Amino acid sequence: MDLTRRHFLATAALAGTGPIGLSARISFPSVPDGPGSVEPARTVFAQRFDPWVEVSADALRRNLATVARLAGSRPVLAVVKNNAYGLGLAEVASVLEPLEGVAGFAVVKAEAALGLRKLGVGKPILLMGVFGDDVGPDLVRSRIDLVLATEDAPERIRRAVRQDGPPPSTQLYVDTGMGRMGLPYHRVVALLRDWDPDALGLSGAFMAFTEDPEFDREQLQRFLRLSEEATAAGVELGSLHAASSNGVFNFPESHLDLVRPGIALFGAYPSNPSRERQIAELSPAVSLRARVVRVERLRAGDSVSYGRNYVAHAPTWVATVPVGHTDGYPRSAVEGARVRINERLYPVIGAVSASHTIVELGEEAGAQVGDVATLVGWDDEAIFPNAVAEATGASAYDILMHLNPTLPRVLV
Ligand SMILES: *Cc1c(COP(=O)(O)O)cnc(C)c1O
């Protein structure tokens, strides 16, 4: 992953967002071979057989607009954890940061929070995860918003703040029943009485839903009641947020002061694609592509790949694409996923190995060595992330987030 500022600038320029909105906030050092010399995706990858990942800037912008509309124009805290759901942190941030509807970014790992700042992101960055003393001072210096998620959080934050420095901005992470992260809601008010919320820079509180529709309502009630109890105890929690993509689509009462979606921004439906697409259409924002490296004609009885799961019953053309499970393409793709080559869809056969996937072309050789193959992408509904997830028994989160971070990303 190339987390340099120059790369960020370059990708911003490729996306056509230019330095608008960025240069207004940040003065960049001179860039010797900066945006002007960046080649468009087609040129960069014209000769390439190894896999690459394309990210659609337009799709990201459309999805942001869609999410903001569903959320009644509330600000969007864009969740870009795990390399922006596999799309690439630099590429995604360069597109989303200048958008007015984006209030800031949220991540889980300290490294990602610091990475966003290094890329030149000026908007608020919320680190939703717990951080260690190794990165505390760096996080405070980088103006990362920190969470109060454990009982020792105030101590940890105090250790991270320089004697004469201002307190960081913090948010309370409340566990209303998820049982994963945050302070149990029934203990929060007592803790707040012990703490000094002003000195801790408390500016907001948030929670995560279990996404069990019945229980989500109970969780929201717990959260709102807690906020009232805190007010009664003399503590204003600040802005409240709870809704991830599922809440944005399926639970309007949870939209509160701002929404906190991830996957919807990247063009995949969170829970129930067929129902959610009736609510609003999302645009897949990522494509996984490579060029066909081998086209061969099998004789009847010939097999392909490990385990000989596929045996040709009649003469059949097959093509090999140099993308495998190490790149994030699921092994279970053999159970019904298809690959798009030259505007046609071909079934995956045999086995997905570490670096190769084989498709059945049929009686005719509909592809040649060097043709572009798309395994996940926006060109056809059958390869949308949700469709690949359905065909492979995986979740759309896996399909996106498992994209190998070492593959080159390019904004188109
Ligand atoms: C990942 C995450 C989100 C975003 O979830 P999506 O389902 O991708 O919209 C929101 N909040 C928290 C705490 C998360 O970990």
Side-chain angles (χ1 to χ4, degrees):
M1 205 183 350
D2 187 0
L3 281 185
T4 62
R5 175 171 291 198
R6 197 174 86 198
H7 182 62
F8 182 68
L9 258 186
T11 51
L14 252 185
T17 57
I20 317 142
L22 284 175
S23 62
R25 255 186 301 279
I26 308 150
S27 60
F28 290 99
S30 68
V31 182
D33 54 348
S37 66
V38 171
E39 299 166 274
R42 273 170 299 279
T43 320
V44 172
F45 293 137
Q47 311 287 322
R48 186 182 175 90
F49 278 75
D50 288 352
W52 70 92
V53 171
E54 290 178 21
V55 175
S56 164
D58 276 347
L60 289 172
R61 292 193 201 99
R62 274 199 300 275
N63 294 333
L64 186 279
T66 301
V67 161
R69 179 171 59 74
L70 288 176
S73 298
R74 286 171 179 78
V76 174
L77 185 57
V79 179
V80 292
K81 65 191 181 197
N82 303 334
N83 200 27
Y85 286 58
L87 278 73
L89 192 60
E91 290 73 13
V92 166
S94 72
V95 176
L96 293 184
E97 148 106 341
L99 303 182
E100 207 185 318
V102 175
F105 297 94
V107 293
V108 176
K109 295 188 175 85
E111 195 179 30
L114 295 170
L116 279 169
R117 273 288 178 262
K118 285 204 193 86
L119 290 166
V121 166
K123 285 185 174 173
I125 298 167
L126 174 64
L127 173 59
M128 301 190 292
V130 169
F131 61 91
D133 290 339
D134 55 336
V135 286
D138 213 2
L139 292 167
V140 171
R141 238 191 334 269
S142 304
R143 294 173 296 104
I144 305 300
D145 294 359
L146 304 174
V147 287
L148 304 168
T150 55
E151 296 201 16
D152 69 347
E155 270 313 306
R156 199 177 285 281
I157 288 169
R158 255 173 234 127
R159 287 198 297 273
V161 177
R162 283 217 335 261
Q163 290 296 328
D164 51 346
S169 170
T170 60
Q171 299 207 19
L172 205 58
Y173 194 160
V174 182
D175 178 8
T176 57
M178 178 74 155
R180 178 180 66 174
M181 269 287 285
L183 297 159
Y185 70 103
H186 46 87
R187 294 222 305 272
V188 167
V189 173
L191 285 169
L192 287 173
R193 285 207 185 93
D194 291 344
W195 294 349
D196 180 353
D198 284 340
L200 288 170
L202 183 65
S203 67
F206 67 102
M207 56 156 284
F209 289 111
T210 55
E211 305 188 0
D212 165 325
E214 288 290 305
F215 191 57
D216 282 357
R217 297 194 171 275
E218 169 63 22
Q219 286 186 273
L220 182 61
Q221 286 314 312
R222 291 173 177 181
F223 190 51
L224 295 177
R225 241 180 280 134
L226 160 65
S227 164
E228 285 166 17
E229 284 163 24
T231 305
V235 181
E236 285 305 331
L237 297 184
S239 36
L240 303 181
H241 48 106
S244 63
S245 301
N246 180 67
V248 168
F249 271 84
N250 301 311
F251 193 10
E253 297 94 315
S254 73
H255 293 174
L256 306 180
D257 295 320
L258 57 147
V259 294
R260 203 180 63 238
I263 201 156
L265 300 176
F266 309 113
Y269 297 99
S271 308
N272 183 334
S274 54
R275 194 184 65 222
E276 285 153 0
R277 75 181 304 170
Q278 307 297 318
I279 298 171
E281 190 100 21
L282 295 173
S283 310
V286 66
S287 286
L288 171 63
R289 306 191 201 272
R291 283 195 166 74
V292 171
V293 288
R294 181 180 190 263
V295 175
E296 269 301 334
R297 185 170 179 268
L298 302 179
R299 302 162 304 174
D302 286 347
S303 65
V304 297
S305 201
Y306 296 116
R308 304 194 73 219
N309 281 331
Y310 175 94
V311 179
H313 296 298
T316 307
W317 287 92
V318 295
T320 301
V321 181
V323 176
H325 57 78
T326 192
D327 302 299
Y329 195 58
R331 287 173 183 274
S332 52
V334 291
E335 287 159 24
R338 289 178 291 169
V339 173
R340 189 172 189 268
I341 306 170
N342 299 331
E343 300 178 13
R344 290 187 57 186
L345 295 164
Y346 298 106
V348 175
I349 55 170
V352 173
S353 54
S355 313
H356 294 102
T357 294
I358 302 162
V359 299
E360 181 186 60
L361 300 174
E363 284 173 20
E364 284 167 37
Q368 293 179 4
V369 170
D371 287 347
V372 173
T374 307
L375 297 91
V376 178
W378 53 71
D379 312 296
D380 190 298
E381 262 184 52
I383 52 170
F384 281 7
N386 285 116
V388 176
E390 193 179 338
T392 58
S395 111
Y397 292 83
D398 300 342
I399 301 299
L400 298 184
M401 287 192 198
H402 294 180
L403 288 171
N404 187 326
T406 65
L407 298 178
R409 268 65 178 168
V410 65
L411 275 171
V412 297

